Amino acid sequence: MNPSSAIIPTEKHVVLIGAGNAHLGFVRRFGMNPIPGVAVTLVSEASVIPYSAMVPGYIARDYAWDEITIDLVRLCRR
């Protein structure tokens, strides 16, 4: 068996409650550089959320809804 394809058991499980900016940044960085043996779960009421810094631009009609939203399912699957 190829060592790089071996299944590594989960030793730690990080659970993030809420999809705030810090948690989203963590999920993004973890996805780019995962730690073997660590699993991450993001808990959120919604599967799509607006990026808070762009909400004023949405209200002013500078941006459309699909331009300011973050698809949490897609982010976490990556």
Side-chain angles (χ1 to χ4, degrees), residues 21-65:
N21 289 338
H23 287 174
L24 296 178
F26 177 85
V27 169
R28 183 176 169 265
R29 284 189 303 277
F30 186 84
M32 294 187 313
N33 190 19
I35 302 168
V38 176
V40 176
T41 299
L42 177 68
V43 179
S44 176
E45 294 177 340
S47 61
V48 177
I49 60 166
Y51 178 58
S52 59
M54 294 182 76
V55 170
Y58 171 73
I59 292 170
R61 298 181 186 230
D62 293 332
Y63 302 106
W65 182 252

Side-chain angles (χ1 to χ4, degrees), residues 27 47-48 69-78:
V27 169
S47 61
V48 177
T69 54
I70 301 166
D71 184 339
L72 298 178
V73 175
R74 196 175 94 211
L75 175 67
C76 291
R77 284 187 178 154
R78 264 198 284 164

Side-chain angles (χ1 to χ4, degrees), residues 1-8:
M1 179 195 305
N2 183 349
S4 64
S5 66
I7 297 175
I8 298 171

